[in-house]
Amino acid sequence: MNVAIIGCGLIGNKRADHLAGGCLRFCVDTHRERAERLASRVAQCEVLDTWQEVMTKPEVDIVIIATTHEVLTEISLAAISAGNHVLVEKPGAIASRHLTPVIEAAKKMNVRVRVGFNHRYHNAFCKAYELFQASELGELMFIRARYGHGGRVGYDKEWRSNPQLSGGGELVDKGIHLVDLSRWFLGEFSEINGFANTYYWDRAVDDNGFILLKTPNKKTAFLHASCTEWKNLFSFEIYGKKAKLEIQGLGGSYGIERLSFYQMLPELGPPETTIWEFPRGDNSWQREFSALLDDIKHDRHSSPGLSDAQAALAIVEQIAKESGYDYYT
């Protein structure tokens, strides 16, 4: 499958590194030198001046979109209209309502569109979901999760701090991953509560988001996303009536990725514990792209897809609006 990458920054490079079963043919970036650096790593890869040129290339099969958020839907719509399959980075749009025409276009053109919620493809989450599907946890009760980092010097001047480019702050950046993972395990949420605030960074978007979600039968997700964590942290706990799963770390500065499985005994007390560690690095990017290839091969609905992104984005939008952030117009 011939691939074009639009947006050759950190994430675009990660995508290029994990194109198992794909061949990178075209690169585009608003900073041409970034596209040239990426293209120089791959034989027969060409740099184009604008993303619009990608849509004129009949040899392209898949378009990967790793740009700032305000142009995600415009590029997605153009790629879909040209008959290309798409992998667009989360959140998929700068506002949830912008995804409606993208969903309609994808159905009309019968192309597969995945949204880059790559955390579902981390080794620990793949194993956790396998245990969940095997009913090893019993009926689920609630999820408790935290995802935090500490930013860096000048973080408040970067594009993620500009609501016109990002569409939001930490709720959109890290919080939307937690929301997506919670929907994956618990299903749709009917009650949405939370609070977002800017505590530390001098910027127009939130640096902390606190989220409380409930399903119709009161299964609950209690989530916190932060860029004032100072020491990077990832913790995701899934509580069932028979067992608990705890995922810690994402590799790198977040620490070794680890899954702990606590199985309650009939007499309760200390649980029977099994721990898996995944020290070999993050292969979620490769797994996610391989899943898109399988979607295409088997004409299979993509999940997580556009509707998942729209639902998750609508949740963080509601919390941001109710917290006084007015950039969702």
Side-chain angles (χ1 to χ4, degrees):
M1 304 293 285
N2 292 323
V3 178
I5 292 181
I6 300 173
C8 301
L10 175 65
I11 302 302
N13 275 265
K14 284 182 181 289
R15 293 296 181 189
D17 289 339
H18 298 93
L19 293 181
C23 176
L24 183 59
R25 294 293 304 277
F26 299 102
C27 290
V28 182
D29 196 281
T30 52
H31 300 280
R32 185 180 174 88
E33 64 275 12
R34 292 198 301 206
E36 290 173 344
R37 281 196 299 270
L38 178 52
S40 68
R41 297 163 38 193
V42 182
Q44 298 181 329
C45 183
E46 181 182 346
V47 174
L48 300 177
D49 292 320
T50 67
W51 63 259
Q52 288 88 347
E53 291 180 68
V54 171
M55 313 314 164
T56 69
K57 302 294 183 181
E59 61 268 44
V60 172
D61 300 300
I62 298 172
V63 177
I64 295 176
I65 307 168
T67 63
T68 50
H69 298 166
E70 87 285 4
V71 292
L72 291 175
T73 50
E74 181 183 8
I75 300 174
S76 294
L77 274 171
I80 291 166
S81 298
N84 298 305
H85 305 287
V86 172
L87 197 167
V88 57
E89 292 302 332
K90 63 85 183 171
I94 202 166
S96 61
R97 71 181 189 280
H98 295 170
L99 284 169
T100 299
V102 186
I103 292 170
E104 293 171 353
K107 289 179 180 177
K108 178 180 178 181
M109 296 300 296
N110 191 31
V111 296
R112 308 282 75 80
V113 182
R114 276 188 171 261
V115 179
F117 289 115
N118 69 297
H119 288 43
R120 291 196 190 192
Y121 292 93
H122 273 265
N123 290 304
F125 274 104
C126 290
K127 183 63 178 178
Y129 201 73
E130 175 187 316
L131 293 168
F132 163 64
Q133 287 192 307
S135 300
E136 294 290 344
L137 280 71
E139 183 183 354
L140 294 191
M141 299 184 295
F142 60 91
I143 285 172
R144 181 174 62 198
R146 296 170 292 157
Y147 195 176
H149 65 106
R152 50 195 160 264
V153 174
Y155 190 65
D156 54 325
K157 303 298 189 296
E158 297 178 10
W159 73 267
R160 291 188 185 279
S161 295
N162 182 342
Q164 282 71 46
L165 301 181
S166 65
E170 204 57 22
L171 279 175
V172 166
D173 186 20
K174 297 290 190 290
I176 202 166
H177 275 301
L178 298 180
V179 171
D180 175 67
L181 291 168
S182 297
R183 289 184 66 252
W184 193 31
F185 283 95
L186 295 183
E188 298 296 336
F189 295 108
S190 56
E191 295 183 52
I192 300 167
N193 296 282
F195 175 66
N197 197 42
T198 307
Y199 288 102
Y200 178 84
W201 294 102
D202 182 17
R203 61 184 198 166
V205 296
D206 55 281
D207 58 22
N208 278 266
F210 308 90
I211 307 170
L212 182 65
L213 308 172
K214 299 176 189 174
T215 67
N217 57 356
K218 304 304 180 185
K219 295 177 182 179
T220 300
F222 178 45
L223 318 172
H224 177 207
S226 173
C227 58
T228 62
E229 189 69 38
W230 310 136
K231 186 181 187 305
N232 290 359
L233 169 77
F234 185 85
S235 172
F236 198 95
E237 300 168 283
I238 307 163
Y239 290 80
K241 290 187 176 180
K242 291 169 50 180
K244 166 190 169 181
L245 294 171
E246 181 179 15
I247 296 164
Q248 293 179 309
L250 293 171
S253 62
Y254 287 90
I256 292 176
E257 189 176 328
R258 178 183 295 110
L259 172 65
S260 300
F261 180 33
Y262 302 105
Q263 294 175 279
M264 300 309 299
L265 301 174
E267 65 273 21
L268 299 181
E272 182 177 314
T273 303
T274 305
I275 297 174
W276 295 267
E277 288 192 344
F278 306 95
R280 297 195 177 210
D282 179 7
N283 65 351
S284 64
W285 310 92
Q286 179 176 328
R287 282 184 171 184
E288 188 172 38
F289 185 76
S290 295
L292 175 59
L293 295 180
D294 285 342
D295 294 342
I296 296 166
K297 179 179 179 180
H298 301 293
D299 195 22
R300 181 180 70 185
H301 172 72
S302 292
S303 180
L306 293 167
S307 58
D308 296 294
Q310 188 171 50
L313 191 52
I315 288 171
V316 302
E317 282 176 354
Q318 179 174 327
I319 294 169
K321 287 179 183 177
E322 292 176 356
S323 300
Y325 293 93
D326 60 0
Y327 36 74
Y328 296 107
T329 58

